[in-house]
Amino acid sequence: MPQGRRGRLRVYLGAAPGVGKTYRMLDEARRRQERGADVVVGYIECHGRRHTENMLQGLEVVPRAQRVYRGTEFTEMDLAAVLARGPQVVLVDELAHTNIPGGAHAKRWEDVEELLAAGIDVITTVNVQHLESLNDVVQKITGVPQRETVPDEVVRTADQIELVDMAPQALRRRMAHGNVYKAEKVDAALSNYFRVGNLTALRELALLWVAGRVDEGLRDYRATHNIDRVWETRERVVVALTGGPEGETLIRRAARIADRTAGGELLAVHITRSDGLAGASPGQLAQQRRLVETLGGSYHVVVGDDIPTALLSFARAHDATQLVLGTSRRGRVNRFLTGPGIGETTVDASEDIDVHMVTHEFTGRGRLPALGRRHSPRRTFAGYLAGLVLPVLLTLLLSHTSLNLTTDALIFQLGVVAVALLGGATSALLASVVASLLLNYYFIPPVHTFTITEPNNIIALSVFAAVALTVSTVVDRAARLTTRAARATAEAETLSTLAGSVLRGAEALPALLEKCRTAFGMDAVALLDHTGGTVLASSGTGTGEVTEVGVGGGAVLVLTGRRLPAADQRVLTAFAAHVGAALERDRLATAAAEVEPIKAADKMRTALLAAVSHDLRTPLAAALASVGSLRSPDVEFSDEDRAELLATADESLLKLTRLVDNLLDMSRLQAGALTLHLAPTHLDEALPRAVDSLADPDAPVQPLGLDTVPPVLADPPLLERVLANVITNALRHNAPGAPVLVSASAHAGRVEIRVIDRGPGIPPEDRDRVFLPFQRLGDTDNTTGTGLGLALSRGLAEAMDGTLEVEDTPGGGTTMLLTLPAAGPDGSS
């Protein structure tokens, strides 16, 4: 055994049982053995498959450890023996398996970790449904929960992952030929878990998971080797959203680009400035986010003042191949005054990322720029430069004309106003000083001197300077007021959207906090219980300046990131009020939800009293009458009469006992106080006991294949109750003289029990109603029974992690399908 290094892990991943993972693992082991490697088999499960067993020939197998659990003997991989043997490579099948209690670890993947730590290479297998992150998704697809899971990180960090793939039709053919399951299990498996739709979905999950793992490996490789250029291994299209009305057009165009290639991915990103809310419509952004998610894309928010740089950084971080932007909404004058826009700057810096400039109906329809915003260094420099250069250019132009002094002064004044629009009041002040000096030197007699001889010219120059300064100040102030109005509009839209979400109950607290985080450009936002410091909800992570504001109800909103300016504090207070309203609404909803079980219990209690008023009284009255007659000294009964009265009393008391048992169990289920003692239970033993408990033990009940399925994990007495209730229901509705069939089959860790009758059947619209308490749909005799049998049976089945459903019987009748988990070797499911 190699020392001083960690072993290497190779995983064969499959979409479903039977695709050939174990076979491929054994083939790899034989190949390594032929190359001289020391290979042993730690644990292999062949499932009786002949071809797999043949591949095992010639390989050294480490004897398994024998363990006894709940009176039954099981075998497990002998970890200590494998470590003592110290091979180069060990084969360990079924990575997600749960070990029998008594070993060093609870899970087999933990055994594998110890083998790897000891420097032993491990080859193992796992199905996609056993990956922890996909467990719930697989259950939604197949309807079968998987109890045995392995953390994704264990598989993701493997040195090699090989997908064992097989088309759904090919796998179904393998099953039909008996190469996966035994013949008696094939039909049930093909009609349930191994349907073409299920297998196709599982195959896609496996392919996507492995593709994601390959993508992670590629990113790690590029990071390790300092490769910054985009590798076009997969089309990723990023669409930049400004919050403007053209957003939906851009999203749809980007989605069409992504759909042109298989596996194309759509990402939408909005760059929000660090100065807060101004610049985007929250309502339109929310609508565009919904559209992106509807089209299968993902939505992202990035904070950054240099929008082209932030946009390209995001695209390169996600290995994007194409970038979609809208053409500028700015008009020609706007572009002339403010220079190149975001699109042009992005194209110049895009390098190996293709940039699509998409035209739209709003192109060129924007207003003059709201130039009163905080100026960037570049624009401030441009304003000062214009203040120096523009008066000089005007001087050169006017010196070759024959205009009078008044006209020249007005033209210079127009230039000062233009500089004010570009760079603000400071640059306009510089422009007015330079223009005054040039006007004096070149246009006021005597020219080419700063001396002014005419008093009128002195007044004209002074008026020019005053008017220029006044106009530039007014223009700058108007621009700043326009910016404030735009910010106020953005704030109002943000709060309006937020208020509507709160009133409609459309946003959960984490979503509201995400809105707050993106709106203010913060790294993280959390809602804390001020008394206990408990985190009620949060969005994002990060460190920095902390801003706190109370939201009422003993809670406080904590924002972490940049220092929040005073202008945002007012909006933050209003935001906090909305968050407080949402928190109060959630608390009221929780209180209302706590009341619902009480209402349901009260409703159940009322229905129970109404239902049992007759059904309890009838058998009780019959039993009392029979016993009272037998005790009467005034009547002499014959032996036949005495036997009949005793039989009546016995039957009535038996009915009363069953009724009370059902009522008690239903009450326990409603209260959640039913105690379960789960244990491996054989159906061929449980069914006879259930039939014996029927009112007529000689009822025609015919079992089929119960001895060929594994035991189920159930509470034996409760399972007998469920079977007895379902069979009683089937006997009540069955065709005269026809037996009730009880069959069973197993697949994918579940056992399906079918109770089949040849009665009139149940209409599809009534199939859920038959499981409601106190329903007696279609009973030939509605004077007996409370209608609790099927309701109680479903409740008991679900308590044992099972299901009870209604199916049509081919040829007519009803099939009650009871599904329970199969007991594993260790007694678990």
Side-chain angles (χ1 to χ4, degrees):
M1 178 176 63
Q3 300 292 331
R5 75 167 183 91
R6 180 178 172 82
R8 297 177 62 83
L9 177 62
R10 184 186 184 110
V11 178
Y12 287 94
L13 176 70
V19 296
K21 302 181 302 299
T22 303
Y23 188 94
R24 292 282 293 276
M25 179 174 64
L26 290 169
D27 183 60
E28 173 67 14
R30 294 167 71 93
R31 186 178 65 83
R32 294 195 184 193
Q33 188 180 57
E34 290 172 358
R35 295 205 315 257
D38 182 15
V39 182
V40 302
V41 176
Y43 185 92
I44 286 289
E45 190 62 66
C46 295
H47 298 287
R49 298 166 189 167
R50 177 170 52 86
H51 298 293
T52 305
E53 291 174 347
N54 291 339
M55 291 293 292
L56 193 58
Q57 302 299 320
L59 293 173
E60 179 185 347
V61 180
V62 176
R64 299 185 185 182
Q66 304 290 326
R67 296 179 190 164
V68 177
Y69 182 70
R70 294 183 178 178
T72 305
E73 187 172 298
F74 303 95
T75 62
E76 282 287 7
M77 179 178 72
D78 194 333
L79 178 61
V82 175
L83 291 171
R85 169 66 174 76
Q88 288 180 310
V89 184
V90 61
L91 309 186
V92 182
D93 208 0
E94 298 182 356
L95 182 63
H97 171 74
T98 301
N99 291 329
I100 301 296
H105 305 290
K107 302 288 289 188
R108 184 165 291 163
W109 63 263
E110 295 175 316
D111 293 340
V112 168
E113 285 294 315
E114 185 168 344
L115 292 171
L116 295 172
I120 302 174
D121 293 345
V122 178
I123 306 176
T124 187
T125 65
V126 70
N127 282 327
V128 70
Q129 67 263 30
H130 295 299
L131 295 175
E132 184 66 48
S133 66
L134 300 177
N135 186 257
D136 57 337
V137 179
V138 173
Q139 182 175 349
K140 291 178 182 177
I141 294 172
T142 64
V144 178
Q146 299 292 334
R147 298 297 177 187
E148 294 185 327
T149 60
V150 59
D152 287 48
E153 191 63 21
V154 174
V155 183
R156 184 178 288 112
T157 55
D159 298 278
Q160 289 179 277
I161 301 176
E162 184 170 334
L163 178 65
V164 183
D165 189 33
M166 180 175 289
Q169 295 80 1
L171 179 56
R172 286 171 60 86
R173 283 196 298 271
R174 285 198 65 197
M175 296 193 63
H177 294 156
N179 294 329
V180 179
Y181 291 142
K182 294 181 180 179
E184 62 271 14
K185 301 180 181 179
V186 170
D187 290 339
L190 290 175
S191 61
N192 290 278
Y193 191 88
F194 287 85
R195 293 193 294 267
V196 173
N198 287 358
L199 295 177
T200 302
L202 292 173
R203 187 187 190 196
E204 182 178 10
L205 281 178
L207 289 169
L208 290 175
W209 193 92
V210 173
R213 174 63 180 89
V214 173
D215 194 46
E216 290 176 8
L218 180 61
R219 291 184 185 181
D220 291 342
Y221 177 85
R222 293 178 61 209
T224 302
H225 293 79
N226 296 319
I227 300 174
D228 296 327
R229 298 183 63 83
V230 174
W231 285 5
E232 299 180 5
T233 57
R234 180 178 179 183
E235 290 291 349
R236 289 185 176 87
V237 182
V238 173
V239 54
L241 301 178
T242 64
E246 76 283 358
E248 294 189 7
T249 301
L250 302 184
I251 292 169
R252 291 189 173 92
R253 182 74 174 107
R256 290 196 295 272
I257 295 174
D259 288 341
R260 289 174 183 171
T261 58
E265 186 177 350
L266 174 64
L267 301 92
V269 60
H270 170 65
I271 310 297
T272 179
R273 296 180 184 272
S274 63
D275 58 356
L277 296 166
S281 169
Q284 288 183 335
L285 282 175
Q287 184 175 352
Q288 291 165 13
R289 177 175 188 165
R290 288 191 293 270
L291 177 60
V292 170
E293 293 172 347
T294 300
L295 294 174
S298 57
Y299 180 87
H300 307 265
V301 176
V302 176
V303 178
D305 290 323
D306 189 342
I307 294 179
T309 300
L311 185 58
L312 289 171
S313 297
F314 174 85
R316 291 194 174 95
H318 288 78
D319 213 18
T321 57
Q322 304 190 57
L323 186 59
V324 176
L325 295 90
T327 53
S328 177
R329 296 198 304 270
R330 301 179 304 156
R332 293 179 180 177
V333 175
N334 195 331
R335 291 197 295 272
F336 173 76
L337 293 174
T338 59
I342 293 172
E344 297 172 60
T345 307
T346 303
V347 170
D348 292 340
S350 62
E351 296 181 352
D352 51 353
I353 300 178
D354 297 336
V355 180
H356 300 262
M357 298 298 296
V358 179
T359 59
H360 49 83
E361 59 179 316
F362 304 98
T363 299
R365 296 188 181 181
R367 297 170 297 180
L368 285 176
L371 299 178
R373 274 186 191 167
R374 182 185 304 167
H375 299 307
S376 64
R378 177 180 176 182
R379 188 153 140 211
T380 300
F381 175 77
Y384 288 126
L385 183 62
L388 291 172
V389 173
L390 186 58
V392 174
L393 294 177
L394 290 176
T395 301
L396 293 175
L397 178 64
L398 295 175
S399 64
H400 295 85
T401 64
S402 58
L403 301 176
N404 56 34
L405 178 61
T406 302
T407 304
D408 292 338
L410 290 175
I411 293 175
F412 272 104
Q413 192 174 67
L414 180 62
V416 173
V417 172
V419 173
L421 286 172
L422 177 62
T426 305
S427 58
L429 176 62
L430 175 63
S432 66
V433 172
V434 175
S436 299
L437 294 174
L438 293 174
L439 187 64
N440 181 11
Y441 190 83
Y442 286 100
F443 298 101
I444 297 177
V447 296
H448 302 138
T449 177
F450 290 105
T451 303
I452 303 176
T453 58
E454 293 289 334
N456 288 338
N457 292 337
I458 296 175
I459 296 173
L461 184 61
S462 301
V463 170
F464 164 76
V467 171
L469 289 174
T470 303
V471 170
S472 61
T473 302
V474 170
V475 169
D476 183 70
R477 179 175 175 80
R480 293 184 182 277
L481 291 176
T482 300
T483 299
R484 292 181 185 177
R487 179 182 177 85
T489 301
E491 293 175 356
E493 288 182 357
T494 298
L495 295 176
S496 176
T497 302
L498 181 64
S501 300
V502 173
L503 292 175
R504 291 190 303 270
E507 300 285 348
L509 277 175
L512 291 177
L513 298 187
E514 175 66 14
K515 281 181 177 291
C516 181
R517 186 182 69 82
T518 56
F520 292 100
M522 305 301 284
D523 295 330
V525 177
L527 183 63
L528 305 181
D529 183 349
H530 189 65
T531 56
T534 307
V535 178
L536 303 177
S538 64
S539 173
T541 57
T543 58
E545 293 283 343
V546 176
T547 303
E548 296 186 4
V549 58
V551 301
V556 60
L557 191 63
V558 179
L559 293 83
T560 305
R562 65 187 180 93
R563 181 184 295 276
L564 206 61
D568 287 342
Q569 293 287 346
R570 182 186 70 260
V571 183
L572 177 59
T573 302
F575 220 113
H578 287 299
V579 173
L583 177 61
E584 184 63 21
R585 189 198 67 234
D586 284 357
R587 287 174 174 171
L588 291 175
T590 302
E594 292 174 353
V595 173
E596 284 300 320
I598 300 175
K599 291 173 59 180
D602 186 65
K603 183 178 179 181
M604 173 71 70
R605 190 179 301 109
T606 303
L608 180 62
L609 292 174
V612 304
S613 60
H614 175 271
D615 297 293
L616 279 175
R617 186 183 299 114
T618 301
L620 184 60
L624 288 174
S626 299
V627 174
S629 298
L630 289 171
R631 295 186 61 188
S632 176
D634 301 329
V635 182
E636 185 69 29
F637 293 101
S638 63
D639 292 340
E640 292 80 4
D641 292 338
R642 183 179 296 276
E644 182 178 353
L645 288 171
L646 288 172
T648 300
D650 183 64
E651 181 181 355
S652 298
L653 292 174
L654 183 61
K655 289 181 180 179
L656 188 62
T657 300
R658 285 200 297 266
L659 176 60
V660 171
D661 287 343
N662 281 343
L663 292 174
L664 290 175
D665 284 341
M666 180 59 73
S667 299
R668 293 190 187 101
L669 280 174
Q670 293 291 330
L674 187 66
T675 303
L676 298 177
H677 300 284
L678 301 180
T681 306
H682 294 273
L683 294 178
D684 55 349
E685 298 176 359
L687 180 62
R689 291 195 292 266
V691 173
D692 290 340
S693 67
L694 301 178
D696 181 10
D698 297 324
V701 178
Q702 180 180 344
L704 294 174
L706 300 186
D707 56 346
T708 62
V709 296
V712 297
L713 190 65
D715 186 305
L718 295 185
L719 175 58
E720 294 166 18
R721 292 282 302 283
V722 173
L723 291 173
N725 286 341
V726 174
I727 292 172
T728 298
N729 185 74
L731 289 171
R732 184 181 298 119
H733 298 89
N734 201 18
V740 170
L741 303 180
V742 182
S743 66
S745 60
H747 66 91
R750 308 284 288 181
V751 175
E752 295 182 345
I753 308 160
R754 290 176 168 83
V755 179
I756 305 167
D757 68 56
R758 293 292 179 180
I762 301 175
E765 62 271 15
D766 289 335
R767 289 182 181 174
D768 287 332
R769 291 181 58 200
V770 299
F771 294 107
L772 296 177
F774 318 116
Q775 298 293 323
R776 294 179 290 203
L777 301 177
D779 282 3
T780 56
D781 179 12
N782 280 340
T783 63
T784 62
T786 59
L788 280 175
L790 291 181
L792 177 61
S793 297
R794 171 175 274 190
L796 294 177
E798 291 175 349
M800 294 184 290
D801 194 23
T803 60
L804 181 61
E805 304 292 342
V806 178
E807 294 181 349
D808 287 327
T809 300
T814 299
T815 296
M816 289 290 178
L817 176 60
L818 173 63
T819 303
L820 292 170
D826 59 349
S828 63
S829 60

